[in-house]
Amino acid sequence: MAVSPEILPPKKKRTSSMSSEERLLRSLLLRSRETSCLNPIPFVLNRNSNSIIRKTKLLTLLLEDLVTDPDVTCFPASAVLCFEELFIVLQSVKTLIEDCCNGSKLWLLIQQQSVANKFLELTVDLSTLIDIFPVKEVILSQDVEEIVNLIRKQCSKTVASVDEKDINLRADVLQKLDRIKSEIVPQQSKLKEIFTRLQMNDSASCTDEIQILEEKVRNQGDEKSKAEIVSLIGLVRYAKCVLYGESSPGIIPRRKKSNSMDITIPSDFRCPISLDLMREPVVVSTGQTYDRASIHLWIESGHTTCPKTGQTLDHTEMIPNYALRNLIVMWCREHRIPFESTEIKENVNGVTTNKTLIEATKMTVSFLIEKARAAQSLEMANRFVSELRALAKTDSNSRACIAEADGLPLLVKFLGSEHPSLQVNAVTTILNLSILEGNKTKIVETDGVLNGVIEVLRTGATWEAKGNAAATIFSLTGVHAYRKKLGRKTRVIKGLMELAKDGPISSKRDALVAILNLAGDRETVGKLLEVGVVEMASEVMDGLPEEGVTVLEAVVKKGGLAAITAAFHVIRKLVTILREGTERAQESAAATLVNICQKGGLEIVSELAAIPGIERVIWEVMGMGTGRGRRKAATLLRILRRWAAGLYGNATAAYTTTNSGSTTTTGVVLRG
């Protein structure tokens, strides 16, 4: 039944129970309370931060009275404007204090005068707003007027002064930097005094300081300030080892493995070469993105083509992909995975030119190697080797210093250690050293190092040790001559194969990328086929389809008829990946099938054609796959069409029955 409009009650406009002025005042009160509850900066500029916090506490009393006073019902426009500006000032005060407390302590110490000036500017802004506040137009009680006068009086006395003890502490730090630059080792007692004053009392607090400083370097545009921050990083690294080295943990994982085992890295975040999370994604001339370290190794090894597309590179320039890097950083933070970023500041040889940092690093390395050599127990040696491991991960300068200080002979001694953590730390330090191109030769030529790494790969005490040994092999294969040398060693081939078959996911990946690099040499592919690389890749595809099919693609490409014969039984599994895998896995599966069909002839194509629904699978890849995946799928479809036309021999009825009509056959579920 229709209801006439006259029967319905008129709609009432929703009215706000609180005026905009009152909402503004309450928001201002909330912000004032938050600011007044902050703790002053404890280690430097304590008086400056404490002073402005006291003023906000008085302001809070004023605002509370205005909010609760029933006689104050409305405010003139000038008062509302003051409230709006006060909100901005209080937000700035809150942000400044929080930034100082959460930021770098040393950098705050160095910049203390400019920060003190910021506190003064905010105090002046606060004083100005209190001065122009229309007290006469707003009915205030006598107590509140006294609070206003008190705030005005306190603001008028504020100056941008810095405590003498803070000035002296800054001078001490600058003196230590100058002495380090002059190759003079700082006195440990004086260093301890400085770091105690700054409340850096253990290894963890020093590590936090280093991370904050490194982030500041990346965000710093001024080159002079950047150089000063880099010098401070060197000082903290040295102090961390000298003052708190023995309290550091025995193992510093190369990548966070707790919980990350269960996390699947998005395919777009993984480097097509290393298959690992990209730390510095760059774009090459073909438009493909790779991790800088991996594509650099690829090009340095003599390759002139794009690894993913096979196209010739027009040039070797690499353009940073900042958008993707930011997405990776956000993803890492969301999943609490540490993001190991790129190096601080390097010249063309990959070594920083900051004199203070270089000398501080040399002193740190010398101290750690000396202590590790003199250690009376494996546990004590492990603590210092773990610090070397962490240092070798930081930058190229540290890697160069460790190698030049004869760190490799020391590390060899610990590769065969019965202490599992010590063995892991030793082999991982060598892995980190191998990232620097100049160190690869030293690792291969220093007596016992390469054999020691291979032995860890075969008989290491833990999967982590074996995985990091495999990663070291991968790093060394970036040099063409070493790739051939390592490929001839049966122990290397067998060790990598065993790890790829039996290791945990992370160790499997380390072994697979090493095998992938070795597969670039035809002679090595022959050895890989002898020990069952195709069967291994087929097994791996069940859990790591992208990695397994990528290895299979490389082997089939270089392995000749032996590889084609071995890969015959994998065809159906490749088709399954072509249908269900990720875009990258589909791309490699399509490329592998094309190679197998082109080299294997009629029998291979017949086997592929007999798979129900194969054309639909190929059409889907052609429509939604990557650029290379679509091209390979199109080639595969042409091969099947030529086979059906009898150009590969007599076409069988099986293909005609299976694929004659896409409307009736393409929905068939593949049999694995």
Side-chain angles (χ1 to χ4, degrees), residues 195-208:
F195 276 68
T196 301
R197 280 279 313 278
L198 291 171
Q199 298 185 2
M200 287 189 278
N201 299 313
D202 53 30
S203 177
S205 59
C206 289
T207 300
D208 290 342

Side-chain angles (χ1 to χ4, degrees), residues 570-581:
V570 192
I571 289 176
R572 288 182 177 271
K573 186 171 283 190
L574 287 171
V575 173
T576 302
I577 290 177
L578 199 62
R579 192 186 75 167
E580 301 175 355

Side-chain angles (χ1 to χ4, degrees), residues 307-565:
K308 192 172 179 181
T309 65
Q311 295 174 307
T312 301
L313 295 171
D314 295 334
H315 54 77
T316 57
E317 292 180 13
M318 304 174 197
I319 303 171
N321 192 336
Y322 292 118
L324 180 58
R325 183 184 182 278
N326 291 337
L327 290 174
I328 294 172
V329 170
M330 288 190 291
W331 181 85
C332 286
R333 286 175 181 167
E334 181 181 342
H335 291 85
R336 296 185 178 180
I337 296 175
F339 182 78
E340 301 162 11
S341 60
T342 53
E343 322 248 316
I344 296 172
K345 180 183 177 182
E346 301 177 349
N347 61 15
V348 291
N349 297 317
V351 180
T352 180
T353 56
N354 186 288
K355 173 68 172 173
T356 306
L357 179 62
I358 290 173
E359 296 306 325
T361 304
K362 286 180 179 178
M363 292 176 189
T364 305
V365 169
S366 176
F367 171 83
L368 292 173
I369 290 177
E370 220 174 280
K371 289 289 185 180
R373 280 188 182 135
Q376 299 298 311
S377 66
L378 293 179
E379 184 62 39
M380 187 60 68
N382 183 44
R383 296 184 184 278
F384 293 107
V385 174
S386 70
E387 289 294 340
L388 278 174
R389 170 183 176 173
L391 191 62
K393 191 176 78 171
T394 55
D395 54 42
S396 294
N397 176 61
S398 299
R399 297 177 194 118
C401 287
I402 293 171
E404 290 167 3
D406 289 333
L408 285 169
L410 169 73
L411 295 169
V412 170
K413 185 173 70 172
F414 299 127
L415 287 177
S417 172
E418 296 177 356
H419 192 295
S421 295
L422 181 55
Q423 185 184 69
V424 168
N425 285 324
V427 73
T428 309
T429 305
I430 294 173
L431 166 62
N432 293 337
L433 294 178
S434 72
I435 295 172
L436 185 65
E437 288 299 304
N439 283 344
K440 286 182 170 60
T441 301
K442 292 180 181 179
I443 290 171
V444 173
E445 295 181 355
T446 300
D447 189 38
V449 178
L450 186 57
N451 285 332
V453 171
I454 296 172
E455 191 59 31
V456 173
L457 173 66
R458 295 298 309 276
T459 63
T462 63
W463 288 118
E464 184 182 7
K466 291 181 177 182
N468 290 351
T472 306
I473 299 296
F474 165 72
S475 179
L476 295 175
T477 56
V479 178
H480 184 70
Y482 300 155
R483 183 193 306 164
K484 281 185 168 292
K485 181 176 181 177
L486 290 165
R488 294 191 191 103
K489 293 182 180 290
T490 305
R491 288 191 304 153
V492 173
I493 300 297
K494 288 185 176 179
L496 292 173
M497 289 287 291
E498 289 168 2
L499 186 60
K501 286 180 181 178
D502 305 325
I505 295 295
S506 57
S507 299
K508 281 180 185 286
R509 285 197 174 107
D510 289 325
L512 288 168
V513 293
I515 291 171
L516 186 61
N517 241 19
L518 290 172
D521 179 67
R522 290 186 185 278
E523 184 180 342
T524 304
V525 170
K527 286 183 172 290
L528 288 169
L529 289 168
E530 289 174 9
V531 295
V533 67
V534 173
E535 291 76 11
M536 179 275 294
S538 178
E539 290 178 20
V540 168
M541 277 192 275
D542 294 331
L544 296 170
E546 284 187 24
E547 291 84 347
V549 74
T550 304
V551 169
L552 188 61
E553 179 189 356
V555 170
V556 167
K557 185 177 181 180
K558 296 275 188 178
L561 285 176
I564 301 300
T565 303

